[in-house]
């Protein structure tokens, strides 16, 4: 209740970690039982063991993989005979950027690396003296923070744009394969032309189908499958370098930086739109409220997101007023934990955001 009282003032001051699930996640991954309760915030919200960990993360723009690699920028002739064939090709293509993270790690930290993971040795570097003094393991091993000194050395791959990919695949499945509104080739042409001259079909795609964040099992299962396959790819890298590897789900604001490169999406968004933040619904696609958002998010097995999976939810000020408003926030928090959520930040929309939504309701 005290947390709810602070949350309803807005400002993103507090967030919710599901401690039991996170400790189970860390132990399942291989952290010692007597270490997992020490977990903490890595600086934004991602999870690590403070004082014992070298950590960095790298982002994978999954929507760019789908648009630019799997669908080849919507060039003429791109086609798939079935939804299953499309999905499997996307998962194959998703391997590329994840493996690039490992190659980058080898380049930056492996001694005399030829691009392979055999005979891994740390690359000597200028000692990071001050940090090394405060990280357990560095003095004991006689190694700098940047040379594998800490007890845990972690590089985490974070998938971004996951809800956008789920929505895109779902829209293709429905428009092309299930409802047969357009052929695959026709849809590629429409997307290449940024939906120009196809406003009725664009509105159909935007409003007819129920996307991630609305407790629709059909699209939520696509999101959960993408998550599982991404984690599987990350897990394949474990033990191949001097680093632990783990998966996370986030954008850390990159959805804004990525917008200029975004192509039109199959679910009706035009090019250059600001799309999904972290593991939250794409703006404007969630229609059923915060409870449905949490239920969609929790259909993935978030114990496998060892480094974290962030969910952000905006609440309207009138929804959190008075005693009923407090009870509503408390219920959301308890439901989030009970359903197996990982990390959630509830915030209250401010006046500026509401004015922007009045001007451009389709974006909110």
């Amino acid at each position: 209740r005290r947390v709810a009282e602070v949350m309803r003032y807005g400002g993103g001051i507090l967030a919710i970690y599901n401690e039991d699930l996170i400790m189970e996640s860390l132990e399942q991954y291989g952290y010692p039982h007597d270490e997992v309760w020490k977990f903490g915030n890595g600086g934004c919200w991602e999870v690590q063991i403070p004082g014992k960990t070298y950590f960095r993360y790298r982002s994978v723009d999954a929507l760019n993989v789908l648009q630019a690699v799997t669908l080849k920028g919507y060039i003429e002739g791109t086609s798939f005979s079935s939804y299953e064939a499309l999905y499997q090709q996307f998962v194959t293509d998703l391997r590329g950027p994840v493996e690039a993270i490992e190659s980058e790690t080898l380049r930056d930290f492996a001694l005399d690396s030829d691009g392979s993971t055999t005979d891994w040795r740390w690359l000597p570097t200028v000692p990071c003296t001050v940090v090394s003094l405060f990280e357990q393991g560095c003095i004991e091993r006689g190694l700098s923070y940047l040379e594998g000194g800490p007890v845990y050395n972690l590089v985490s791959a974070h998938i971004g744009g996951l809800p956008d990919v789920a929505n895109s695949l779902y829209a293709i499945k429905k428009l092309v394969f299930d409802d047969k509104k357009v052929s695959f080739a026709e849809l590629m042409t429409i997307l290449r032309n940024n939906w120009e001259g196809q406003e009725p079909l664009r509105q159909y795609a935007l409003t007819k189908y129920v996307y991630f964040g609305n407790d629709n099992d059909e699209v939520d299962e696509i999101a959960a499958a993408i998550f599982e396959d991404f984690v599987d790819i990350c897990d394949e890298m474990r033990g191949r370098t001097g680093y632990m590897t783990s998966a996370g789900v986030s954008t850390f604001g990159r959805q804004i930086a990525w917008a200029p490169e975004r192509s039109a999406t199959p679910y009706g968004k035009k090019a250059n739109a600001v799309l999904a933040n972290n593991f939250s619904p794409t703006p404007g696609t969630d229609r059923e409220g915060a409870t449905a958002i949490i239920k969609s998010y929790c259909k993935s097995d978030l114990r496998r997101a060892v480094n974290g999976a962030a969910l952000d939810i905006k609440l309207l000020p009138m929804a959190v007023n008075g005693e009923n408003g407090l009870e509503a926030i408390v219920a959301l928090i308890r439901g989030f934990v009970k359903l197996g959520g990982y990390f959630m930040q509830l915030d209250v929309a401010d006046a500026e955001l509401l004015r922007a939504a009045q001007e451009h309701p389709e974006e909110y």
Side-chain angles (χ1 to χ4, degrees):
R1 181 183 173 87
R2 292 294 291 150
V3 169
E5 288 175 349
V6 175
M7 277 185 164
R8 73 171 174 182
Y9 284 104
I13 298 168
L14 296 179
I16 303 300
Y17 286 87
N18 187 350
E19 290 186 335
D20 289 344
L21 179 136
I22 291 171
M23 290 189 289
E24 182 182 351
S25 171
L26 291 169
E27 190 165 2
Q28 179 178 285
Y29 185 76
Y31 284 90
H33 177 74
D34 61 353
E35 288 276 75
V36 298
W37 65 271
K38 302 174 186 176
F39 83 85
N41 183 320
C44 292
W45 55 261
E46 66 280 15
V47 165
Q48 59 170 268
I49 307 298
K52 294 185 176 184
T53 306
Y54 170 88
F55 167 73
R56 68 174 180 171
Y57 79 95
R58 291 291 180 265
S59 291
V60 174
D61 182 356
L63 182 60
N64 182 66
V65 172
L66 177 66
Q67 292 181 331
V69 183
T70 306
L71 298 176
K72 300 179 175 61
Y74 306 141
I75 63 171
E76 190 172 350
T78 302
S79 185
F80 289 88
S81 59
S82 66
Y83 169 78
E84 290 72 21
L86 169 63
Y87 182 82
Q88 289 306 318
Q89 185 60 54
F90 166 72
V91 172
T92 298
D93 295 334
L94 192 58
R95 288 181 173 276
V98 179
E99 291 176 349
I101 293 171
E102 182 181 62
S103 298
E104 180 183 290
T105 303
L106 284 164
R107 183 195 69 213
D108 292 347
F109 294 96
L111 182 64
D112 300 328
S113 173
D114 59 0
S116 69
T117 56
T118 58
D119 301 322
W120 166 276
R121 289 182 293 164
W122 292 97
L123 178 70
T125 186
V126 176
C128 186
T129 309
V130 175
V131 176
S132 300
L133 288 172
F134 288 92
E135 289 285 338
Q136 292 183 41
C138 293
I139 292 175
E140 293 83 351
R141 298 177 180 181
L143 293 171
S144 167
Y145 176 72
L146 300 175
E147 296 176 324
V151 178
Y152 307 112
N153 294 280
L154 176 64
V155 174
S156 183
H158 281 222
I159 186 170
L162 194 160
D164 303 309
V165 175
N167 290 345
S168 295
L169 291 171
Y170 179 62
I172 293 173
K173 181 177 184 293
K174 302 304 285 186
L175 287 170
V176 175
F177 298 109
D178 293 352
D179 297 343
K180 302 188 187 307
K181 292 291 182 182
V182 290
S183 69
F184 207 105
E186 288 169 339
L187 181 59
M188 294 299 99
T189 300
I190 290 168
L191 296 177
R192 190 166 64 247
N193 294 329
N194 198 23
W195 291 99
E196 186 177 346
Q198 296 290 334
E199 190 60 18
L201 183 62
R202 187 177 85 87
Q203 289 300 324
Y204 184 92
L206 271 174
T207 61
K208 173 66 175 178
Y209 302 126
V210 180
Y211 294 109
F212 178 82
N214 295 286
D215 192 22
N216 173 12
D217 286 342
E218 193 173 6
V219 68
D220 295 343
E221 286 169 5
I222 294 174
I226 296 167
F227 171 76
E228 287 286 332
D229 286 323
F230 178 76
V231 175
D232 286 344
I233 294 168
C234 293
D235 281 353
E236 288 176 16
M237 297 194 301
R238 291 183 64 178
R240 284 163 42 172
T241 68
Y243 278 86
M244 303 165 68
T245 58
S246 63
V249 184
S250 75
T251 58
F252 286 111
R254 283 179 173 81
Q255 73 278 6
I256 299 171
W258 287 337
E261 307 302 322
R262 295 295 197 207
S263 302
T265 70
Y267 59 96
K269 293 289 186 177
K270 290 192 174 183
N272 311 132
V274 175
L275 301 178
N277 177 46
N278 296 325
F279 209 161
S280 309
T282 306
T285 61
D286 52 312
R287 309 171 196 159
E288 300 298 326
T291 301
I293 293 173
I294 291 170
K295 290 177 73 176
S296 287
Y297 162 85
C298 289
K299 288 174 189 174
S300 295
D301 181 4
L302 298 169
R303 292 170 300 177
R304 299 196 68 199
V306 179
N307 201 229
L311 176 65
D312 304 296
I313 299 178
K314 289 267 190 202
L315 303 174
L316 294 175
M318 62 283 290
V320 296
N321 285 337
E323 182 63 25
N324 287 342
L326 281 180
E327 290 180 0
I329 296 174
V330 170
L332 284 176
I333 293 170
R334 293 192 182 281
F336 170 83
V337 171
K338 186 173 182 178
L339 288 173
Y342 193 106
F343 170 90
M344 177 174 68
Q345 188 144 14
L346 293 174
D347 203 359
V348 178
D350 58 20
E352 182 180 350
L353 185 143
L354 294 174
R355 291 189 189 99
Q358 282 182 322
E359 293 181 14
H360 302 286
E362 72 282 357
E363 296 180 10
Y364 295 85

